[in-house]
Amino acid sequence: YYIYFPKNLMLKDKIVIKNIIEQGNETEYINLRILIDCDENSRVTILNEEKFLNKKCINIVNQCLINNNSSLEIINKSNKPDTKQIYNFFSIINYNSKLKYHTIDINSNLVKNNYFINLNSLGSTCLFNGLNISKRKEHFDNYIEINHNHSKTISNLNYKIISDHKSKSTFFAKSIIHEKCSESQAYQKNNNLILSDKAKINANPQLEIYNDDVQCSHGSATGQIDEEAIFYLRSRGIKPDLAKQLILNSFINEVLEEIQNIELQKDLKETLDNYMLS
């Protein structure tokens, strides 16, 4: 499908797109293509809800064009317990425009996500906000590439991973500041929690900088839940399971709080709580 947002459109309410697959042949392979076109001086928020309840192989291509002085916020909420997926996201961000992209990935079989974001003009900005929670034998692989193709562009990437049981998660991020892109800013932050001895997380955030007049930072940390924090909470009369849940909630809240819609924040918190307790 193709969605066009005309000039000067300011939407206060979010647009909700629902993709539900609950019938059909389990051997089907589905291709889905999405094109979102934001014309000049538009402000739009899209909630993309995906609910795939039977076994599917699916290939998704999502392309976004954000024209001058516009802002697009996308929140992805998915429930795909038996899905094998390849997802490719492409975005072009033009003069003084902003993309806020939030992705919450849980409850899938095998998922490969690729994100290619291009900051093409003065004042182009991208906030990429991600959370990946894997359990059992689930496998998530995320590749994020942000290209600073003009001076005075800004990218801020914050990605968190929680892996439990025998699940595997891979995170590879690359922010590239090209030669003539002075006064640009690129920030990367990645924090991960491993909840099982058999779970695996591979994290590799990278910066490629070809200009000296920039501000950049990146960091990645992977570990287990702090036992001293558990002990502190238990010493205050909190049961072990609840103490663990409180620590996990504080870990994911930094991602959820970037979503401005309070109602949606609460809904996502409830969904994540139920998933982690299942």
Side-chain angles (χ1 to χ4, degrees), residues 21 106 120 157 163 196:
I21 302 174
I106 61 171
N120 277 7
L157 168 65
S163 285
S196 165

Side-chain angles (χ1 to χ4, degrees), residues 9-268:
L9 178 67
M10 304 286 179
L11 289 182
K12 294 182 180 179
D13 295 327
K14 64 182 180 295
I15 291 176
V16 180
I17 300 172
K18 292 190 177 183
N19 291 310
I20 301 173
I21 302 174
E22 53 188 1
Q23 297 179 354
N25 192 324
E26 291 187 349
T27 63
E28 287 177 341
Y29 180 81
I30 298 173
N31 289 285
L32 172 64
R33 184 168 182 176
I34 305 159
L35 179 58
I36 299 171
D37 186 356
C38 297
D39 212 331
E40 295 181 3
N41 197 34
S42 58
R43 301 285 185 276
V44 180
T45 298
I46 296 174
L47 170 61
N48 184 46
E49 293 191 68
E50 297 174 329
K51 189 176 181 181
F52 305 159
L53 297 182
N54 54 352
K55 292 181 180 179
K56 295 291 178 186
C57 292
I58 188 162
N59 175 46
I60 303 172
V61 176
N62 188 352
Q63 295 171 283
C64 294
L65 174 61
I66 308 172
N67 278 303
N68 299 347
N69 299 305
S70 293
S71 174
L72 174 63
E73 182 173 20
I74 298 176
I75 304 113
N76 274 337
K77 177 187 175 185
S78 65
N79 179 20
K80 309 170 186 175
D82 290 313
T83 298
K84 296 179 180 178
Q85 170 183 292
I86 297 175
Y87 175 76
N88 287 290
F89 176 86
F90 303 89
S91 182
I92 294 174
I93 307 170
N94 288 326
Y95 173 76
N96 197 33
S97 292
K98 185 174 186 177
L99 170 67
K100 294 181 71 175
Y101 193 97
H102 313 273
T103 178
I104 312 295
D105 284 321
I106 61 171
N107 201 16
S108 288
N109 184 337
L110 173 62
V111 170
K112 178 69 173 88
N113 296 323
N114 301 304
Y115 303 91
F116 303 92
I117 297 166
N118 292 283
L119 305 172
N120 277 7
S121 189
L122 189 73
S124 300
T125 302
C126 171
L127 167 66
F128 194 103
N129 192 40
L131 175 65
N132 164 190
I133 302 177
S134 59
K135 297 172 62 176
R136 294 176 285 276
K137 294 183 179 180
E138 297 170 355
H139 187 113
F140 289 90
D141 188 330
N142 290 282
Y143 174 80
I144 304 165
E145 181 180 302
I146 302 175
N147 284 284
H148 292 252
N149 298 323
H150 201 283
S151 60
K152 296 184 179 179
T153 53
I154 301 172
S155 66
N156 195 335
L157 168 65
N158 184 26
Y159 204 95
K160 292 177 179 283
I161 299 172
I162 300 174
S163 285
D164 202 356
H165 304 137
K166 295 181 180 180
S167 64
K168 297 179 181 179
S169 292
T170 297
F171 168 75
F172 189 103
K174 183 186 291 186
S175 297
I176 306 169
I177 299 181
H178 295 283
E179 185 176 355
K180 296 182 180 180
C181 302
S182 60
E183 299 184 62
S184 292
Q185 301 174 43
Y187 307 104
Q188 296 178 341
K189 183 180 178 183
N190 168 235
N191 297 107
N192 311 309
L193 281 178
I194 297 178
L195 305 183
S196 165
D197 291 339
K198 295 183 179 180
K200 292 183 180 180
I201 296 176
N202 298 308
N204 188 1
Q206 294 185 1
L207 292 171
E208 287 189 20
I209 305 168
Y210 301 100
N211 189 296
D212 294 333
D213 186 16
V214 297
Q215 296 182 38
C216 298
S217 68
H218 74 147
S220 179
T222 301
Q224 298 175 327
I225 290 180
D226 188 351
E227 291 299 328
E228 291 186 4
I230 294 285
F231 177 79
Y232 175 83
L233 292 172
R234 292 194 64 187
S235 69
R236 298 304 188 268
I238 298 174
K239 294 181 179 180
D241 289 345
L242 181 56
K244 178 181 176 181
Q245 191 65 30
L246 289 172
I247 292 171
L248 292 177
N249 284 342
S250 67
F251 183 78
I252 66 177
N253 277 347
E254 184 182 358
V255 171
L256 298 183
E257 287 171 358
E258 288 291 339
I259 299 171
Q260 301 300 315
N261 188 298
I262 301 300
E263 179 185 347
L264 183 55
Q265 271 191 36
K266 291 180 179 178
D267 178 63
L268 288 170

